[in-house]
Short mmCIF file of all heavy atoms in Angstrom, two decimals:
data_model
loop_
_atom_site.label_atom_id
_atom_site.label_comp_id
_atom_site.label_asym_id
_atom_site.label_seq_id
_atom_site.Cartn_x
_atom_site.Cartn_y
_atom_site.Cartn_z
N SER A 2 1.86 -44.53 -80.93
CA SER A 2 2.69 -45.64 -80.42
C SER A 2 1.86 -46.84 -79.99
O SER A 2 1.88 -47.26 -78.86
CB SER A 2 3.54 -45.15 -79.26
OG SER A 2 2.70 -44.48 -78.33
N HIS A 4 -0.95 -47.73 -78.80
CA HIS A 4 -2.21 -47.58 -78.10
C HIS A 4 -2.92 -46.32 -78.58
O HIS A 4 -2.34 -45.45 -79.20
CB HIS A 4 -1.98 -47.53 -76.59
CG HIS A 4 -1.07 -46.42 -76.17
ND1 HIS A 4 -1.53 -45.19 -75.79
CD2 HIS A 4 0.28 -46.37 -76.08
CE1 HIS A 4 -0.50 -44.43 -75.49
NE2 HIS A 4 0.60 -45.11 -75.66
N ASN A 6 -4.66 -42.75 -78.65
CA ASN A 6 -4.12 -41.54 -78.07
C ASN A 6 -5.16 -40.46 -77.92
O ASN A 6 -4.83 -39.28 -77.87
CB ASN A 6 -2.98 -41.06 -78.98
CG ASN A 6 -1.94 -40.31 -78.20
OD1 ASN A 6 -2.08 -40.13 -77.00
ND2 ASN A 6 -0.91 -39.86 -78.88
N GLU A 9 -4.87 -37.38 -75.47
CA GLU A 9 -3.95 -36.32 -75.85
C GLU A 9 -4.57 -35.41 -76.92
O GLU A 9 -4.39 -34.20 -76.88
CB GLU A 9 -2.63 -36.89 -76.35
CG GLU A 9 -1.65 -35.78 -76.70
CD GLU A 9 -0.21 -36.20 -76.71
OE1 GLU A 9 0.05 -37.41 -76.84
OE2 GLU A 9 0.66 -35.31 -76.61
N TYR A 12 -6.89 -33.08 -75.22
CA TYR A 12 -6.12 -32.08 -74.47
C TYR A 12 -5.55 -31.01 -75.40
O TYR A 12 -5.69 -29.81 -75.16
CB TYR A 12 -5.01 -32.83 -73.73
CG TYR A 12 -3.91 -31.97 -73.14
CD1 TYR A 12 -4.08 -31.35 -71.91
CD2 TYR A 12 -2.70 -31.82 -73.80
CE1 TYR A 12 -3.07 -30.59 -71.35
CE2 TYR A 12 -1.68 -31.06 -73.25
CZ TYR A 12 -1.87 -30.46 -72.03
OH TYR A 12 -0.86 -29.71 -71.49
N VAL A 13 -4.94 -31.46 -76.51
CA VAL A 13 -4.37 -30.49 -77.45
C VAL A 13 -5.47 -29.61 -78.02
O VAL A 13 -5.30 -28.39 -78.16
CB VAL A 13 -3.59 -31.22 -78.57
CG1 VAL A 13 -3.20 -30.24 -79.68
CG2 VAL A 13 -2.35 -31.88 -78.01
N MET A 20 -6.02 -20.95 -76.64
CA MET A 20 -5.13 -19.98 -77.27
C MET A 20 -5.89 -19.12 -78.27
O MET A 20 -5.65 -17.92 -78.39
CB MET A 20 -3.96 -20.68 -77.98
CG MET A 20 -2.99 -21.38 -77.04
SD MET A 20 -2.40 -20.33 -75.71
CE MET A 20 -3.05 -21.19 -74.31
N GLY A 24 -6.17 -15.16 -77.94
CA GLY A 24 -5.75 -14.34 -79.08
C GLY A 24 -6.88 -13.45 -79.55
O GLY A 24 -6.68 -12.25 -79.81
N ALA A 27 -7.56 -10.67 -77.03
CA ALA A 27 -6.47 -9.70 -77.04
C ALA A 27 -6.54 -8.83 -78.28
O ALA A 27 -6.36 -7.61 -78.22
CB ALA A 27 -5.12 -10.43 -76.99
N TRP A 28 -6.86 -9.44 -79.40
CA TRP A 28 -6.93 -8.71 -80.66
C TRP A 28 -8.02 -7.65 -80.59
O TRP A 28 -7.81 -6.48 -80.90
CB TRP A 28 -7.22 -9.70 -81.79
CG TRP A 28 -7.21 -9.08 -83.14
CD1 TRP A 28 -6.10 -8.82 -83.90
CD2 TRP A 28 -8.34 -8.63 -83.90
NE1 TRP A 28 -6.48 -8.24 -85.08
CE2 TRP A 28 -7.84 -8.10 -85.11
CE3 TRP A 28 -9.72 -8.62 -83.67
CZ2 TRP A 28 -8.68 -7.58 -86.09
CZ3 TRP A 28 -10.55 -8.09 -84.65
CH2 TRP A 28 -10.04 -7.58 -85.85
N GLU A 31 -7.10 -4.84 -78.01
CA GLU A 31 -6.03 -3.98 -78.49
C GLU A 31 -6.54 -3.06 -79.61
O GLU A 31 -6.19 -1.88 -79.68
CB GLU A 31 -4.86 -4.84 -78.99
CG GLU A 31 -3.62 -4.08 -79.42
CD GLU A 31 -2.92 -3.35 -78.28
OE1 GLU A 31 -3.15 -3.71 -77.11
OE2 GLU A 31 -2.16 -2.41 -78.59
N GLU A 35 -6.37 1.01 -79.22
CA GLU A 35 -5.42 1.76 -80.05
C GLU A 35 -6.08 2.91 -80.79
O GLU A 35 -5.40 3.74 -81.39
CB GLU A 35 -4.74 0.81 -81.05
CG GLU A 35 -3.66 0.02 -80.37
CD GLU A 35 -2.55 -0.42 -81.30
OE1 GLU A 35 -2.62 -0.14 -82.51
OE2 GLU A 35 -1.61 -1.03 -80.78
N GLN A 50 18.35 11.02 -70.37
CA GLN A 50 19.00 10.56 -69.14
C GLN A 50 19.03 11.71 -68.13
O GLN A 50 19.68 12.71 -68.40
CB GLN A 50 20.42 10.08 -69.44
CG GLN A 50 20.44 8.74 -70.21
CD GLN A 50 21.82 8.40 -70.71
OE1 GLN A 50 22.60 9.28 -71.06
NE2 GLN A 50 22.15 7.12 -70.78
N ASP A 83 18.35 10.69 -76.19
CA ASP A 83 19.63 9.99 -76.13
C ASP A 83 19.47 8.48 -76.35
O ASP A 83 19.61 8.00 -77.46
CB ASP A 83 20.37 10.30 -74.83
CG ASP A 83 19.43 10.35 -73.62
OD1 ASP A 83 18.58 9.47 -73.51
OD2 ASP A 83 19.59 11.26 -72.78
N VAL A 84 19.16 7.76 -75.29
CA VAL A 84 19.06 6.30 -75.40
C VAL A 84 17.59 5.89 -75.26
O VAL A 84 16.73 6.74 -75.07
CB VAL A 84 19.93 5.60 -74.34
CG1 VAL A 84 21.38 6.04 -74.46
CG2 VAL A 84 19.40 5.86 -72.93
N ASN A 85 17.32 4.59 -75.31
CA ASN A 85 15.93 4.14 -75.15
C ASN A 85 15.46 4.31 -73.71
O ASN A 85 16.21 4.05 -72.76
CB ASN A 85 15.81 2.66 -75.51
CG ASN A 85 16.12 2.38 -76.96
OD1 ASN A 85 16.39 3.31 -77.72
ND2 ASN A 85 16.11 1.12 -77.34
N HIS A 91 1.84 3.38 -64.69
CA HIS A 91 1.37 2.02 -64.47
C HIS A 91 -0.12 1.97 -64.14
O HIS A 91 -0.85 1.10 -64.61
CB HIS A 91 2.18 1.35 -63.36
CG HIS A 91 1.89 -0.11 -63.23
ND1 HIS A 91 2.36 -1.04 -64.14
CD2 HIS A 91 1.16 -0.81 -62.33
CE1 HIS A 91 1.93 -2.24 -63.80
NE2 HIS A 91 1.20 -2.14 -62.70
N VAL A 94 -2.07 1.89 -67.19
CA VAL A 94 -1.54 0.99 -68.21
C VAL A 94 -1.05 1.75 -69.44
O VAL A 94 -1.28 1.36 -70.58
CB VAL A 94 -2.55 -0.11 -68.62
CG1 VAL A 94 -1.84 -1.28 -69.28
CG2 VAL A 94 -3.31 -0.63 -67.41
N MET A 97 4.93 3.16 -73.27
CA MET A 97 5.43 3.31 -74.64
C MET A 97 6.92 3.63 -74.62
O MET A 97 7.35 4.50 -73.87
CB MET A 97 4.64 4.41 -75.37
CG MET A 97 4.93 4.52 -76.85
SD MET A 97 4.90 2.96 -77.77
CE MET A 97 3.15 2.59 -77.82
N ASP A 98 7.68 2.91 -75.43
CA ASP A 98 9.11 3.15 -75.47
C ASP A 98 9.42 4.50 -76.09
O ASP A 98 8.76 4.92 -77.05
CB ASP A 98 9.82 2.06 -76.28
CG ASP A 98 9.85 0.72 -75.54
OD1 ASP A 98 9.41 0.68 -74.38
OD2 ASP A 98 10.33 -0.26 -76.14
N ILE A 100 12.22 6.08 -78.15
CA ILE A 100 13.35 5.59 -78.92
C ILE A 100 13.86 6.71 -79.81
O ILE A 100 13.07 7.31 -80.56
CB ILE A 100 12.92 4.36 -79.74
CG1 ILE A 100 12.62 3.21 -78.78
CG2 ILE A 100 13.99 3.96 -80.75
CD1 ILE A 100 11.90 2.08 -79.39
N PRO A 101 15.15 7.02 -79.70
CA PRO A 101 15.67 8.13 -80.50
C PRO A 101 15.42 7.89 -81.99
O PRO A 101 15.60 6.79 -82.48
CB PRO A 101 17.17 8.14 -80.18
CG PRO A 101 17.45 6.83 -79.50
CD PRO A 101 16.18 6.38 -78.88
N ARG A 103 12.47 8.16 -83.39
CA ARG A 103 11.08 7.74 -83.64
C ARG A 103 10.13 8.56 -82.82
O ARG A 103 10.49 9.06 -81.76
CB ARG A 103 10.85 6.31 -83.19
CG ARG A 103 11.61 5.34 -83.98
CD ARG A 103 11.02 3.96 -83.78
NE ARG A 103 11.67 3.11 -84.74
CZ ARG A 103 11.08 2.15 -85.42
NH1 ARG A 103 9.82 1.90 -85.21
NH2 ARG A 103 11.75 1.45 -86.28
N ASN A 105 6.65 7.71 -81.06
CA ASN A 105 5.66 6.68 -80.74
C ASN A 105 4.47 7.32 -80.04
O ASN A 105 4.66 8.20 -79.20
CB ASN A 105 6.27 5.62 -79.81
CG ASN A 105 7.21 4.70 -80.56
OD1 ASN A 105 7.12 4.55 -81.78
ND2 ASN A 105 8.12 4.07 -79.84
N GLN A 120 7.09 6.56 -64.38
CA GLN A 120 8.43 5.98 -64.24
C GLN A 120 8.98 5.57 -65.60
O GLN A 120 8.29 5.57 -66.61
CB GLN A 120 8.40 4.78 -63.28
CG GLN A 120 7.41 3.70 -63.67
CD GLN A 120 7.28 2.61 -62.61
OE1 GLN A 120 7.81 2.72 -61.52
NE2 GLN A 120 6.56 1.54 -62.94
N ARG A 122 10.56 2.49 -67.69
CA ARG A 122 10.54 1.04 -67.55
C ARG A 122 11.50 0.36 -68.51
O ARG A 122 11.46 -0.85 -68.67
CB ARG A 122 9.12 0.51 -67.73
CG ARG A 122 8.74 -0.43 -66.58
CD ARG A 122 7.27 -0.53 -66.39
NE ARG A 122 6.65 -1.48 -67.29
CZ ARG A 122 5.34 -1.73 -67.30
NH1 ARG A 122 4.53 -1.07 -66.49
NH2 ARG A 122 4.83 -2.61 -68.12
N GLU A 123 12.36 1.13 -69.16
CA GLU A 123 13.37 0.49 -70.02
C GLU A 123 14.74 0.91 -69.51
O GLU A 123 14.99 2.10 -69.29
CB GLU A 123 13.18 0.95 -71.47
CG GLU A 123 14.15 0.35 -72.47
CD GLU A 123 13.91 -1.13 -72.69
OE1 GLU A 123 12.76 -1.51 -72.99
OE2 GLU A 123 14.87 -1.91 -72.53
N TYR A 124 15.62 -0.04 -69.35
CA TYR A 124 16.94 0.26 -68.80
C TYR A 124 17.63 1.37 -69.60
O TYR A 124 17.72 1.30 -70.82
CB TYR A 124 17.80 -0.99 -68.81
CG TYR A 124 19.19 -0.75 -68.28
CD1 TYR A 124 19.40 -0.57 -66.91
CD2 TYR A 124 20.29 -0.66 -69.13
CE1 TYR A 124 20.65 -0.33 -66.41
CE2 TYR A 124 21.56 -0.42 -68.64
CZ TYR A 124 21.73 -0.25 -67.27
OH TYR A 124 22.98 0.00 -66.79
N CYS A 125 18.12 2.40 -68.89
CA CYS A 125 18.74 3.51 -69.60
C CYS A 125 20.00 3.99 -68.90
O CYS A 125 20.49 5.08 -69.16
CB CYS A 125 17.75 4.66 -69.76
SG CYS A 125 17.04 5.22 -68.21
N GLY A 126 20.53 3.18 -67.97
CA GLY A 126 21.82 3.53 -67.38
C GLY A 126 21.74 3.91 -65.92
O GLY A 126 20.83 3.52 -65.19
N LEU A 127 22.73 4.71 -65.54
CA LEU A 127 23.02 5.03 -64.15
C LEU A 127 21.81 5.32 -63.26
O LEU A 127 21.62 4.71 -62.23
CB LEU A 127 23.97 6.24 -64.15
CG LEU A 127 24.91 6.37 -62.97
CD1 LEU A 127 25.76 5.11 -62.84
CD2 LEU A 127 25.80 7.59 -63.17
N HIS A 129 18.57 5.16 -64.08
CA HIS A 129 17.31 4.56 -64.56
C HIS A 129 16.36 4.32 -63.38
O HIS A 129 15.16 4.56 -63.48
CB HIS A 129 17.61 3.26 -65.30
CG HIS A 129 16.42 2.38 -65.52
ND1 HIS A 129 15.30 2.82 -66.20
CD2 HIS A 129 16.15 1.11 -65.14
CE1 HIS A 129 14.40 1.84 -66.23
NE2 HIS A 129 14.89 0.80 -65.58
N TYR A 130 16.92 3.87 -62.27
CA TYR A 130 16.07 3.52 -61.14
C TYR A 130 15.30 4.71 -60.58
O TYR A 130 14.30 4.55 -59.90
CB TYR A 130 16.90 2.86 -60.03
CG TYR A 130 17.85 3.80 -59.30
CD1 TYR A 130 17.45 4.46 -58.15
CD2 TYR A 130 19.15 4.00 -59.77
CE1 TYR A 130 18.31 5.32 -57.49
CE2 TYR A 130 20.02 4.84 -59.11
CZ TYR A 130 19.60 5.50 -57.97
OH TYR A 130 20.46 6.34 -57.32
N ARG A 133 11.89 9.07 -62.36
CA ARG A 133 10.49 9.02 -61.98
C ARG A 133 9.85 10.39 -62.04
O ARG A 133 10.53 11.41 -62.10
CB ARG A 133 10.36 8.45 -60.55
CG ARG A 133 11.04 7.11 -60.36
CD ARG A 133 10.85 6.56 -58.96
NE ARG A 133 9.45 6.29 -58.69
CZ ARG A 133 8.83 5.16 -59.03
NH1 ARG A 133 9.50 4.19 -59.63
NH2 ARG A 133 7.56 4.99 -58.78
N SER B 60 24.67 2.51 -58.20
CA SER B 60 23.84 1.86 -59.20
C SER B 60 24.70 1.28 -60.33
O SER B 60 24.33 0.27 -60.92
CB SER B 60 22.81 2.83 -59.75
OG SER B 60 23.40 3.72 -60.64
N ASN B 64 24.15 -2.37 -61.71
CA ASN B 64 23.84 -2.66 -63.11
C ASN B 64 24.82 -3.67 -63.70
O ASN B 64 24.45 -4.54 -64.48
CB ASN B 64 23.87 -1.38 -63.94
CG ASN B 64 22.84 -0.37 -63.47
OD1 ASN B 64 21.89 -0.73 -62.77
ND2 ASN B 64 23.02 0.88 -63.83
N ASP B 126 27.82 -3.31 -68.15
CA ASP B 126 26.64 -2.84 -67.42
C ASP B 126 25.42 -2.71 -68.32
O ASP B 126 24.42 -2.14 -67.90
CB ASP B 126 26.93 -1.46 -66.84
CG ASP B 126 26.85 -0.39 -67.92
OD1 ASP B 126 27.45 -0.58 -68.99
OD2 ASP B 126 26.15 0.62 -67.70
N THR B 128 23.11 -4.72 -69.57
CA THR B 128 22.10 -5.78 -69.50
C THR B 128 22.42 -6.88 -70.50
O THR B 128 23.24 -6.69 -71.38
CB THR B 128 20.64 -5.31 -69.76
OG1 THR B 128 20.38 -5.30 -71.16
CG2 THR B 128 20.36 -3.96 -69.16
N THR B 132 21.31 -3.32 -75.53
CA THR B 132 20.52 -2.55 -76.51
C THR B 132 21.19 -1.24 -76.90
O THR B 132 21.58 -0.47 -76.03
CB THR B 132 19.14 -2.21 -75.91
OG1 THR B 132 18.59 -3.39 -75.37
CG2 THR B 132 18.22 -1.66 -76.97
N PRO B 133 21.32 -0.97 -78.19
CA PRO B 133 21.74 0.35 -78.62
C PRO B 133 20.54 1.30 -78.55
O PRO B 133 19.42 0.83 -78.52
CB PRO B 133 22.16 0.13 -80.08
CG PRO B 133 21.40 -1.08 -80.53
CD PRO B 133 21.09 -1.89 -79.31
N PRO B 134 20.72 2.59 -78.54
CA PRO B 134 22.02 3.26 -78.57
C PRO B 134 22.77 3.27 -77.23
O PRO B 134 23.92 3.66 -77.21
CB PRO B 134 21.67 4.69 -78.99
CG PRO B 134 20.23 4.85 -78.74
CD PRO B 134 19.60 3.51 -78.74
N TYR B 135 22.14 2.81 -76.13
CA TYR B 135 22.87 2.84 -74.87
C TYR B 135 24.21 2.12 -75.01
O TYR B 135 25.26 2.62 -74.59
CB TYR B 135 22.05 2.18 -73.74
CG TYR B 135 22.77 2.22 -72.42
CD1 TYR B 135 22.76 3.38 -71.64
CD2 TYR B 135 23.53 1.14 -71.98
CE1 TYR B 135 23.46 3.45 -70.45
CE2 TYR B 135 24.24 1.20 -70.79
CZ TYR B 135 24.20 2.36 -70.03
OH TYR B 135 24.91 2.43 -68.87
N SER B 139 26.67 5.03 -74.52
CA SER B 139 26.71 5.27 -73.08
C SER B 139 27.49 4.23 -72.28
O SER B 139 28.05 4.54 -71.24
CB SER B 139 25.28 5.29 -72.53
OG SER B 139 24.86 6.58 -72.20
N ASP B 229 19.20 2.65 -86.89
CA ASP B 229 17.93 2.37 -86.22
C ASP B 229 18.10 1.34 -85.10
O ASP B 229 18.40 0.18 -85.37
CB ASP B 229 16.92 1.86 -87.24
CG ASP B 229 15.54 1.66 -86.62
OD1 ASP B 229 15.37 2.00 -85.43
OD2 ASP B 229 14.65 1.17 -87.32
N ILE B 231 15.90 -0.12 -83.46
CA ILE B 231 14.90 -1.18 -83.55
C ILE B 231 15.43 -2.34 -84.40
O ILE B 231 15.10 -3.50 -84.17
CB ILE B 231 13.59 -0.63 -84.14
CG1 ILE B 231 13.00 0.41 -83.20
CG2 ILE B 231 12.58 -1.75 -84.37
CD1 ILE B 231 12.60 -0.12 -81.86
N TYR B 269 4.65 -42.27 -72.33
CA TYR B 269 3.28 -42.37 -72.83
C TYR B 269 3.24 -42.35 -74.35
O TYR B 269 2.64 -43.21 -74.98
CB TYR B 269 2.44 -41.23 -72.25
CG TYR B 269 1.06 -41.13 -72.84
CD1 TYR B 269 0.07 -42.00 -72.43
CD2 TYR B 269 0.76 -40.18 -73.81
CE1 TYR B 269 -1.20 -41.93 -72.98
CE2 TYR B 269 -0.49 -40.10 -74.36
CZ TYR B 269 -1.47 -40.97 -73.94
OH TYR B 269 -2.72 -40.89 -74.49
N SER B 273 4.61 -38.27 -79.84
CA SER B 273 4.18 -36.91 -79.56
C SER B 273 5.34 -36.11 -78.96
O SER B 273 5.44 -34.91 -79.19
CB SER B 273 2.92 -36.90 -78.71
OG SER B 273 3.23 -36.73 -77.36
N ALA B 295 6.05 -2.91 -77.06
CA ALA B 295 5.99 -1.50 -76.63
C ALA B 295 6.96 -0.62 -77.39
O ALA B 295 7.19 0.52 -77.01
CB ALA B 295 6.27 -1.40 -75.12
N THR B 296 7.56 -1.13 -78.47
CA THR B 296 8.52 -0.29 -79.19
C THR B 296 7.83 0.56 -80.24
O THR B 296 8.48 1.25 -81.01
CB THR B 296 9.58 -1.14 -79.91
OG1 THR B 296 8.91 -2.09 -80.75
CG2 THR B 296 10.46 -1.88 -78.93
N PHE B 300 -0.30 -2.22 -85.21
CA PHE B 300 -1.26 -3.20 -84.73
C PHE B 300 -1.09 -4.53 -85.47
O PHE B 300 -1.11 -5.61 -84.87
CB PHE B 300 -2.67 -2.63 -84.92
CG PHE B 300 -3.76 -3.55 -84.48
CD1 PHE B 300 -3.79 -4.03 -83.18
CD2 PHE B 300 -4.77 -3.93 -85.37
CE1 PHE B 300 -4.81 -4.88 -82.76
CE2 PHE B 300 -5.78 -4.78 -84.95
CZ PHE B 300 -5.80 -5.26 -83.66
N LYS B 303 2.07 -6.45 -84.33
CA LYS B 303 1.85 -7.04 -83.00
C LYS B 303 0.98 -8.27 -83.11
O LYS B 303 1.25 -9.31 -82.49
CB LYS B 303 1.20 -6.01 -82.07
CG LYS B 303 2.21 -5.05 -81.47
CD LYS B 303 1.58 -4.13 -80.46
CE LYS B 303 0.69 -3.12 -81.14
NZ LYS B 303 0.51 -1.88 -80.37
N THR B 304 -0.07 -8.17 -83.91
CA THR B 304 -0.98 -9.31 -84.06
C THR B 304 -0.24 -10.52 -84.61
O THR B 304 -0.38 -11.64 -84.12
CB THR B 304 -2.15 -8.94 -84.98
OG1 THR B 304 -2.77 -7.78 -84.48
CG2 THR B 304 -3.15 -10.07 -85.06
N MET B 307 1.87 -12.04 -81.97
CA MET B 307 1.07 -12.68 -80.93
C MET B 307 0.59 -14.05 -81.40
O MET B 307 0.70 -15.05 -80.68
CB MET B 307 -0.13 -11.82 -80.56
CG MET B 307 -1.02 -12.51 -79.54
SD MET B 307 -2.51 -11.60 -79.13
CE MET B 307 -3.44 -11.79 -80.63
N ALA B 318 2.75 -27.56 -74.28
CA ALA B 318 1.74 -28.21 -73.45
C ALA B 318 1.74 -29.72 -73.67
O ALA B 318 1.45 -30.49 -72.75
CB ALA B 318 0.36 -27.62 -73.74
N PHE B 322 1.71 -32.86 -70.92
CA PHE B 322 0.76 -33.96 -70.97
C PHE B 322 1.49 -35.30 -70.98
O PHE B 322 1.14 -36.24 -70.25
CB PHE B 322 -0.11 -33.85 -72.22
CG PHE B 322 -1.17 -34.91 -72.30
CD1 PHE B 322 -2.40 -34.71 -71.70
CD2 PHE B 322 -0.94 -36.11 -72.96
CE1 PHE B 322 -3.39 -35.68 -71.76
CE2 PHE B 322 -1.92 -37.09 -73.01
CZ PHE B 322 -3.15 -36.88 -72.41
N PRO B 363 -2.57 -6.55 -75.09
CA PRO B 363 -2.91 -5.51 -74.12
C PRO B 363 -2.39 -5.83 -72.72
O PRO B 363 -2.02 -4.92 -71.98
CB PRO B 363 -4.44 -5.48 -74.12
CG PRO B 363 -4.91 -6.56 -75.01
CD PRO B 363 -3.75 -7.24 -75.63
N PHE B 366 1.29 -4.80 -71.84
CA PHE B 366 1.63 -3.43 -71.45
C PHE B 366 1.62 -3.28 -69.93
O PHE B 366 2.17 -2.34 -69.39
CB PHE B 366 0.69 -2.43 -72.14
CG PHE B 366 0.96 -2.35 -73.61
CD1 PHE B 366 0.21 -3.09 -74.52
CD2 PHE B 366 2.02 -1.59 -74.09
CE1 PHE B 366 0.50 -3.05 -75.87
CE2 PHE B 366 2.31 -1.55 -75.44
CZ PHE B 366 1.55 -2.28 -76.34
N THR B 367 0.98 -4.20 -69.24
CA THR B 367 1.07 -4.23 -67.78
C THR B 367 2.33 -4.94 -67.32
O THR B 367 2.99 -4.53 -66.37
CB THR B 367 -0.15 -4.96 -67.17
OG1 THR B 367 -1.32 -4.31 -67.64
CG2 THR B 367 -0.11 -4.92 -65.67
N HIS B 369 5.20 -5.98 -69.25
CA HIS B 369 6.48 -5.80 -69.92
C HIS B 369 7.47 -4.97 -69.10
O HIS B 369 7.12 -3.92 -68.58
CB HIS B 369 6.25 -5.11 -71.27
CG HIS B 369 7.51 -4.83 -72.01
ND1 HIS B 369 8.33 -5.84 -72.49
CD2 HIS B 369 8.13 -3.68 -72.34
CE1 HIS B 369 9.38 -5.30 -73.08
NE2 HIS B 369 9.29 -3.99 -73.00
N ASP B 370 8.68 -5.49 -69.02
CA ASP B 370 9.76 -4.80 -68.31
C ASP B 370 9.45 -4.49 -66.85
O ASP B 370 10.03 -3.59 -66.25
CB ASP B 370 10.22 -3.54 -69.05
CG ASP B 370 11.33 -3.88 -70.04
OD1 ASP B 370 11.99 -4.93 -69.87
OD2 ASP B 370 11.56 -3.10 -70.99
N THR B 371 8.51 -5.25 -66.29
CA THR B 371 8.35 -5.20 -64.84
C THR B 371 8.93 -6.50 -64.27
O THR B 371 9.37 -7.37 -65.02
CB THR B 371 6.87 -5.16 -64.40
OG1 THR B 371 6.27 -6.40 -64.76
CG2 THR B 371 6.12 -4.02 -65.05
N LEU B 434 2.89 -6.86 -61.25
CA LEU B 434 1.54 -6.31 -61.41
C LEU B 434 1.38 -5.03 -60.61
O LEU B 434 0.62 -4.15 -60.98
CB LEU B 434 0.49 -7.34 -60.98
CG LEU B 434 0.44 -8.61 -61.84
CD1 LEU B 434 -0.65 -9.55 -61.33
CD2 LEU B 434 0.21 -8.27 -63.31
N GLY B 436 3.65 -2.96 -60.54
CA GLY B 436 4.32 -1.94 -61.35
C GLY B 436 5.80 -1.76 -61.13
O GLY B 436 6.38 -0.83 -61.68
N PRO B 438 9.40 -1.73 -61.94
CA PRO B 438 10.20 -2.01 -63.13
C PRO B 438 11.36 -2.94 -62.80
O PRO B 438 11.83 -2.98 -61.65
CB PRO B 438 10.75 -0.64 -63.55
CG PRO B 438 10.03 0.37 -62.74
CD PRO B 438 9.53 -0.33 -61.52
N ARG B 440 15.41 -4.19 -63.33
CA ARG B 440 16.70 -3.53 -63.53
C ARG B 440 16.81 -2.20 -62.80
O ARG B 440 17.37 -1.24 -63.32
CB ARG B 440 16.97 -3.31 -65.02
CG ARG B 440 17.07 -4.63 -65.74
CD ARG B 440 17.16 -4.48 -67.22
NE ARG B 440 17.47 -5.78 -67.80
CZ ARG B 440 17.15 -6.16 -69.02
NH1 ARG B 440 16.51 -5.34 -69.81
NH2 ARG B 440 17.49 -7.34 -69.46
N TYR B 442 18.08 -0.25 -59.24
CA TYR B 442 18.98 -0.36 -58.09
C TYR B 442 18.26 -0.02 -56.80
O TYR B 442 18.56 -0.56 -55.74
CB TYR B 442 20.15 0.58 -58.34
CG TYR B 442 21.00 0.93 -57.15
CD1 TYR B 442 21.74 -0.05 -56.50
CD2 TYR B 442 21.08 2.25 -56.70
CE1 TYR B 442 22.54 0.28 -55.42
CE2 TYR B 442 21.89 2.59 -55.64
CZ TYR B 442 22.61 1.60 -54.99
OH TYR B 442 23.40 1.93 -53.93
N ASP B 443 17.29 0.88 -56.90
CA ASP B 443 16.60 1.34 -55.71
C ASP B 443 15.14 1.59 -56.07
O ASP B 443 14.83 1.74 -57.24
CB ASP B 443 17.26 2.63 -55.22
CG ASP B 443 16.82 2.98 -53.80
OD1 ASP B 443 16.12 2.17 -53.17
OD2 ASP B 443 17.17 4.08 -53.33
#
Side-chain angles (χ1 to χ4, degrees):
Chain A
S2 50
H4 58 93
N6 209 358
E9 182 159 21
Y12 167 82
V13 170
M20 293 309 117
W28 185 82
E31 185 66 19
E35 282 207 358
Q50 288 170 327
D83 40 44
V84 303
N85 296 357
H91 189 74
V94 200
M97 189 48 73
D98 288 356
I100 292 166
R103 294 198 171 219
N105 285 338
Q120 56 187 8
R122 230 157 83 181
E123 181 69 52
Y124 179 74
C125 55
L127 208 57
H129 165 58
Y130 70 92
R133 306 182 64 85
Chain B
S60 76
N64 299 342
D126 77 312
T128 85
T132 311
Y135 181 81
S139 253
D229 185 4
I231 296 297
Y269 172 77
S273 97
T296 55
F300 179 57
K303 278 185 289 205
T304 305
M307 176 183 71
F322 184 87
F366 290 96
T367 304
H369 178 65
D370 271 339
T371 66
L434 295 181
R440 296 173 171 153
Y442 163 65
D443 194 7

